Amino acid sequence: MDLLQASVNDKYLALARTVRHYLMTRWLETERRQTELQSKAVAYLSAEFLLGRQLDNSLLATDLEEIAAESLQGLGIELDELRTVEVEPGLGNGGLGRLAACFIDSLATLDVPSIGYGIRYEYGIFKQTFVDGRQVEQPDNWLELGSPWEFPHPEAAVTVNFGGHTEKTADDDGREVSRWVPGWSVEGVPYNYMVPGYQNGRVNTLRLWSARATKAFDLQIFNAGDYTEAVRAQTFAENISKVLYPEDSTPQGKELRLQQQYFFVACSLRNFIEDVLPAGYDLHKLPERITFQLNDTHPVIAIPELMRILIDERGWNWDEAWDVTNQVFAYTCHTLLPEALEVWPTSLLEKLLPRHLEIIYRINKDFLARVRETYPGDEMRARHMSIIAESPERAVRMAYLATVTGSKVNGVAALHSQLLRDKVLKDFSDMEPEKFTNVTNGVTPRRFVRLANPGLSGLITEAIGDGWVTDLDRLSELEPLADDSGFLSRFREVKAANKARFADVMEARDGIRVDTGTMVDAMVKRLHEYKRQMLKVLHIVSLYEQVKSGALPIEKVTPRTFVFGAKAAPGYRMAKEIIALINAVGRTVNDDPAMQGRLTIVFPPNYNVTLAEKLIPAADLSEQISVAGKEASGTGNMKFALNGALTIGTDDGANVEIRELVGDENFFLFGMSEPEVERVVSAGYEPASFYDKNAALRRALDLIASGAFSDGRRGEFEPIVANLLEQDRFLVLADFQSYMDAQARVDTAYADQDAWTRSAVLNVARTGFFSSDRSMRDYLDRIWHAEPVSIDVSSMQG
Ligand code: 26V
């Protein structure tokens, strides 16, 4: 094609294909090496991989950025323009999906043989728009222009069965065996994605499955002459990988969701056993070759699936199969909210996976026998620990199934793992304490520092060399520079440049103006009551109210830009009301001349990985304000700290570890601790008493209720106000004053820019621990016990 006629997308595709071609040699070599060595690998099973844009990351991993930029320039093309046309694959909801993406990046960089398994959703997380300040969801058609990063392998499709019934027969020795007679099936087509390590020649694989109708199924119906029925069947099959469920934390017992889970897990196990392992491999030795890491409960149906394969397809006896299954799975829990623990009604399993249900019953029977043996006469305990819940309906508790079966169970931050042991999974931890461990989450420094923050990266590299990119603990070498005024002023220049870049992005993306002279105060995460965006709103409304009533002179207000980014689950009413309130407060405050632009609220719609990469490096203040004991870890908190934002936060999730590392003087702690929360709640929390006692809080809430942000319509935000006064499950009102006090300390600290910058530098220097490379080493030591395998690049060409 003529360059003159090429669209920007054509040029982007041409560059992407060039880079991927370069990576392919390494990909093949990685695979050849693995086939040769047959060493132990890790399979990360996850329903979500929130990858973000691929071009930048691939250019970094291959070290081709400079040469690409130069050659493009010779053709009169700007690399920067090409970067921005890439649509990010949003195949995840939030933290859990992004964590999976960080982990596979680190595994590749650490040279660990590993493979990610998941679902190739045709539509990722919905695109968020605002209509009159309210969230409206649009489908995310990320494949519209095609993706140059995926490699479909229709020839390697595998069949997955569903439905039908089981039949009891006897084997040669007269033992009863069960046989699954499935009712229908679909095919899974693997799409492979390259996962390049950072400049080390290794390219691992992410294998995502796409569903289609089976040929046999098609033919059968076409031959019967029912053309429309056959087409309908195809659509039915393709539905399975059609769309990512946008619910996080409140699982709905939807049949399609269970179909998705079993679909990708069945494809993945079959693929590993039949295609990755050599032909004829003795599965008794499976634990020498693989750990299947279960990312939350979404892939837990893999447990009965492996049992079924070993028993029904390979003819093993139960104990043999159980012994192997026990060793190859490990389970990561990512939540503390009881309502987020997945349960599947036995009626649904019976209909969709009848043989798996039988296997689960048998696992439970053996397990309960062990419980009764350990605790004779303690029937209550047995009932509590049963994998099968009896009410409100008979259902399988997937977290219990994973805990009982897995070789290890881990939480995702120190506090979270402790709470799992002490509360959520206490009985299990009492019975098998050695099973429980912690691995604190981490984030990849390649994407979230090196790529997202080139300015800071350059500064760091100048000071300590570039080894930090793969050894983030070396950031500690920056510590002495926190007292070097020259370094501090350059650090400040970088922050200023990042704010300018963020302002440009906001202008171009949404037509929003950002004043780069203000403190950037950011709260970005899914909208959830426990995360307490409402507390942030009350802070803003209270400041606004104080200025309007004359209690606070406007000159005394630290100029801030409050940045929100948050999607609400489409069916989560209260979350959507809170989004509407944030936008309403934003409109009123931003338009009020009395504010003189000192307090500005910006809420760009559709916050995603791409926007995160621009916002985080520009932020001064990171809001991590969940009620203590509810946020399992958080990972945004780590990204902000590593980019030199100071945290205002509760003692929750990984905030605890961040504060320990950066020191109390460089962190704004507020709010009740987890034990305090527990005490207040069990004593019978009365939110209205805080409203009665606290004038500032009362005025803020009254202002919202008065219609001041809704053109005088008093009822508009009534559900929010009533909920806070009557229920307030997450103790927003109880923590209000403490939060306001901490924000006052923020203002004081920010007024001394030298001291603030010093704290920011110390945040960077002291948070190297939060590299996902460290997380991966912890998993390797405590759970996986696999070894790195280096790839020899000397023989390879570009
Ligand atoms: C649950 C469900 C339920 C069914 C529909 C789809 C769906 C998707 C995700 C989830 C899991 C919610 C748990 C979760 O996302 N946990 C977050 O995990 C992060 C990584 O460990 C952690 O940093 C966050 O604190 C935690 O909330």
Side-chain angles (χ1 to χ4, degrees):
M1 191 193 302
D2 192 328
L3 202 53
L4 283 170
Q5 284 166 6
S7 68
V8 185
N9 193 57
D10 291 331
K11 295 174 202 165
Y12 157 72
L13 288 175
L15 175 59
R17 290 204 185 100
T18 310
V19 182
R20 85 174 205 178
H21 182 81
Y22 178 93
L23 279 166
M24 247 147 80
T25 330
R26 279 125 186 106
W27 204 9
L28 291 171
E29 175 59 15
T30 304
E31 190 147 321
R32 194 197 61 73
R33 237 341 228 161
Q34 187 56 20
T35 313
E36 172 184 275
L37 287 183
Q38 302 281 321
S39 54
K40 180 162 183 183
V42 176
Y44 201 77
L45 295 182
S46 177
E48 305 186 5
F49 286 91
L50 188 47
L51 296 173
R53 284 184 180 160
Q54 295 300 292
L55 177 61
D56 275 318
N57 191 244
S58 304
L59 285 171
L60 177 66
T62 51
D63 202 14
L64 286 175
E65 181 177 351
E66 214 170 305
I67 199 166
E70 275 172 24
S71 356
L72 287 168
Q73 209 149 53
L75 298 166
I77 302 169
E78 280 300 321
L79 174 55
D80 275 345
E81 196 191 350
L82 304 193
R83 296 180 207 275
T84 54
V85 303
E86 181 174 353
V87 181
E88 75 167 77
L91 309 185
N93 272 287
L96 170 139
R98 182 53 236 179
L99 186 76
C102 284
F103 281 6
I104 58 177
D105 176 85
S106 283
L107 284 169
T109 296
L110 289 176
D111 259 324
V112 179
S114 50
I115 177 163
Y117 280 118
I119 303 175
R120 177 183 176 272
Y121 301 103
E122 212 174 305
Y123 295 89
I125 185 68
F126 63 82
K127 180 164 179 237
Q128 179 190 51
T129 61
F130 296 139
V131 176
D132 297 333
R134 295 187 164 267
Q135 171 175 299
V136 173
E137 302 88 20
Q138 234 100 68
D140 161 51
N141 192 3
W142 71 286
L143 290 164
E144 192 167 48
L145 299 177
S147 166
W149 305 106
E150 55 179 27
F151 294 77
H153 285 278
E155 78 289 354
V158 298
T159 301
V160 182
N161 295 318
F162 289 96
H165 61 278
T166 61
E167 284 174 5
K168 304 278 180 289
T169 54
D171 68 6
D172 297 347
D173 305 327
R175 277 178 310 194
E176 186 187 89
V177 293
S178 186
R179 198 171 66 93
W180 183 17
V181 186
W184 53 280
S185 57
V186 300
E187 270 181 14
V189 177
Y191 283 67
N192 294 338
Y193 298 73
M194 301 183 289
V195 185
Y198 175 76
Q199 300 180 5
N200 66 350
R202 173 174 280 272
V203 180
N204 283 338
T205 300
L206 169 62
R207 186 161 293 147
L208 304 182
W209 299 94
S210 179
R212 70 173 190 202
T214 59
K215 290 263 158 36
F217 203 77
D218 274 7
L219 270 181
Q220 205 183 331
I221 311 178
F222 277 109
N223 287 344
D226 196 342
Y227 173 76
T228 42
E229 179 55 22
V231 174
R232 202 195 59 78
Q234 282 188 1
T235 313
F236 177 82
E238 285 160 13
N239 247 336
I240 291 182
S241 55
K242 186 68 70 183
V243 56
L244 168 77
Y245 272 80
E247 262 69 40
D248 67 335
S249 305
T250 36
Q252 318 208 321
K254 293 272 171 61
E255 181 166 354
L256 182 61
R257 169 116 185 127
L258 180 58
Q259 288 175 10
Q260 290 187 337
Q261 295 184 351
Y262 179 63
F263 166 72
F264 97 86
V265 141
C267 288
S268 305
L269 287 186
R270 190 154 298 276
N271 174 258
F272 187 80
I273 292 171
E274 292 182 5
D275 290 342
V276 178
L277 291 178
Y281 186 82
D282 176 7
L283 293 180
H284 292 93
K285 294 191 294 184
L286 195 59
E288 295 171 18
R289 292 299 310 276
I290 197 74
T291 298
F292 293 106
Q293 189 66 36
L294 304 166
N295 197 26
D296 216 275
T297 54
H298 318 149
V300 166
I301 196 71
I303 290 169
E305 172 65 0
L306 182 59
M307 290 295 288
R308 187 193 66 78
I309 292 171
L310 298 178
I311 296 169
D312 297 4
E313 294 186 7
R314 306 282 170 134
W316 293 19
N317 68 41
W318 180 273
D319 292 343
E320 267 180 303
W322 182 243
D323 181 48
V324 164
T325 301
N326 251 285
Q327 295 179 65
V328 297
F329 288 106
Y331 163 55
T332 306
C333 177
H334 293 267
T335 192
L336 280 159
L337 299 176
E339 69 264 34
L341 294 174
E342 265 187 319
V343 296
W344 289 111
T346 53
S347 55
L348 185 56
L349 283 163
E350 176 83 60
K351 175 175 155 202
L352 219 53
L353 300 166
R355 177 62 183 135
H356 296 75
L357 182 60
E358 285 179 3
I359 291 170
I360 293 168
Y361 281 143
R362 171 70 196 273
I363 292 174
N364 195 40
K365 180 171 154 254
D366 291 2
F367 170 65
L368 290 181
R370 255 171 62 212
V371 173
R372 293 189 175 106
E373 205 177 283
T374 317
Y375 305 98
D378 196 348
E379 230 0 76
M380 271 308 270
R381 186 183 294 260
R383 184 129 21 108
H384 282 143
M385 295 178 78
S386 176
I387 294 169
I388 311 293
E390 298 295 339
S391 69
E393 63 184 323
R394 226 160 189 247
V396 178
R397 296 163 165 152
M398 300 307 272
Y400 289 10
L401 176 58
T403 302
V404 167
T405 312
S407 62
K408 292 280 174 182
V409 177
N410 77 283
V412 290
L415 173 66
H416 175 234
S417 296
Q418 197 55 49
L419 292 170
L420 284 183
R421 284 183 283 243
D422 295 347
K423 305 207 159 141
V424 186
L425 298 171
K426 180 175 190 324
D427 292 336
F428 299 88
S429 159
D430 287 348
M431 193 166 144
E432 299 181 278
E434 63 300 329
K435 219 183 227 196
F436 286 76
T437 186
N438 171 248
V439 179
T440 298
N441 282 167
V443 303
T444 173
R446 269 75 62 189
R447 181 175 293 268
F448 289 107
V449 183
R450 176 62 187 77
L451 284 174
N453 202 340
L456 179 61
S457 298
L459 195 56
I460 297 172
T461 297
E462 230 179 89
I464 66 171
D466 64 3
W468 61 273
V469 177
T470 50
D471 183 3
L472 208 59
D473 285 332
R474 289 190 52 189
L475 290 180
S476 65
E477 294 166 27
L478 294 172
E479 182 110 23
L481 293 165
D483 293 310
D484 176 328
S485 63
F487 187 82
L488 293 184
S489 77
R490 295 187 61 198
F491 188 94
R492 224 180 344 256
E493 283 165 22
V494 166
K495 189 61 86 183
N498 289 340
K499 286 186 190 182
R501 184 183 64 158
F502 174 63
D504 290 345
V505 169
M506 292 301 295
E507 176 87 60
R509 184 186 189 269
D510 306 303
I512 298 175
R513 299 228 11 233
V514 171
D515 181 348
T516 57
T518 61
M519 178 201 300
V520 174
D521 175 346
M523 179 157 190
V524 287
K525 49 189 81 250
R526 284 298 286 255
L527 201 309
H528 209 293
E529 287 166 279
Y530 84 79
K531 294 179 188 280
R532 299 201 297 192
Q533 278 91 355
M534 259 322 288
L535 193 51
K536 180 83 243 137
V537 172
L538 287 175
H539 169 227
I540 298 169
V541 170
S542 180
L543 288 178
Y544 177 69
E545 189 280 329
Q546 289 174 56
V547 172
K548 296 297 279 184
S549 68
L552 176 63
I554 187 75
E555 317 79 58
K556 289 248 170 87
V557 175
T558 306
R560 295 201 199 200
T561 300
F562 300 98
V563 182
F564 287 90
K567 291 183 185 180
Y572 188 171
R573 293 276 286 281
M574 188 55 70
K576 289 184 137 178
E577 289 304 317
I578 294 170
I579 285 179
L581 177 60
I582 296 169
N583 280 322
V585 171
R587 218 174 0 124
T588 309
V589 173
N590 296 350
D591 290 352
D592 192 329
M595 302 313 292
Q596 298 170 30
R598 288 213 158 212
L599 297 181
T600 309
I601 297 155
V602 305
F603 190 171
N606 204 42
Y607 177 71
N608 57 12
V609 176
T610 304
L611 186 56
E613 289 167 12
K614 299 293 185 247
L615 166 64
I616 292 168
D620 296 299
L621 189 65
S622 159
E623 301 271 352
Q624 307 300 335
I625 61 180
S626 54
V627 64
K630 293 296 178 204
E631 190 69 273
S633 163
T635 44
N637 48 3
M638 302 168 185
K639 295 165 196 166
F640 279 107
L642 279 165
N643 281 280
L646 275 58
T647 304
I648 182 165
T650 48
D651 241 330
D652 202 14
N655 297 354
V656 177
E657 289 155 84
I658 293 177
R659 183 169 64 84
E660 273 167 12
L661 285 163
V662 305
D664 284 341
E665 8 24 293
N666 304 302
F667 188 108
F668 301 96
L669 175 68
F670 77 97
M672 286 180 281
S673 65
E674 189 278 329
E676 285 166 350
V677 167
E678 195 63 36
R679 239 176 291 133
V680 168
V681 170
S682 49
Y685 171 53
E686 283 179 21
S689 70
F690 288 88
Y691 172 88
D692 294 337
K693 280 184 310 206
N694 190 318
L697 173 59
R698 195 164 57 242
R699 292 204 194 98
L701 277 170
D702 287 352
L703 194 63
I704 295 171
S706 76
F709 305 108
S710 43
D711 303 317
R713 289 189 308 278
R714 308 186 108 255
E716 190 93 344
F717 299 113
E718 164 67 18
I720 296 180
V721 175
N723 181 272
L724 287 176
L725 289 174
E726 289 157 27
Q727 267 204 302
D728 193 17
R729 261 190 78 198
F730 301 105
L731 293 90
V732 173
L733 304 199
D735 271 347
F736 172 80
Q737 193 54 53
S738 170
Y739 182 56
M740 292 299 288
D741 295 345
Q743 288 290 6
R745 282 184 272 132
V746 168
D747 284 338
T748 309
Y750 195 72
D752 182 347
Q753 277 292 299
D754 285 339
W756 181 278
T757 310
R758 183 174 181 278
S759 279
V761 170
L762 289 175
N763 264 266
V764 178
R766 294 176 179 174
T767 47
F769 174 77
F770 298 106
S771 169
S772 45
D773 299 345
R774 189 269 316 148
S775 303
M776 291 300 86
R777 285 198 199 91
D778 287 351
Y779 275 94
L780 286 165
D781 291 346
R782 296 170 198 170
I783 302 174
W784 298 334
H785 312 295
E787 300 293 333
V789 174
S790 63
I791 303 298
D792 182 8
V793 288
S794 58
S795 63
M796 282 184 236
Q797 264 130 42

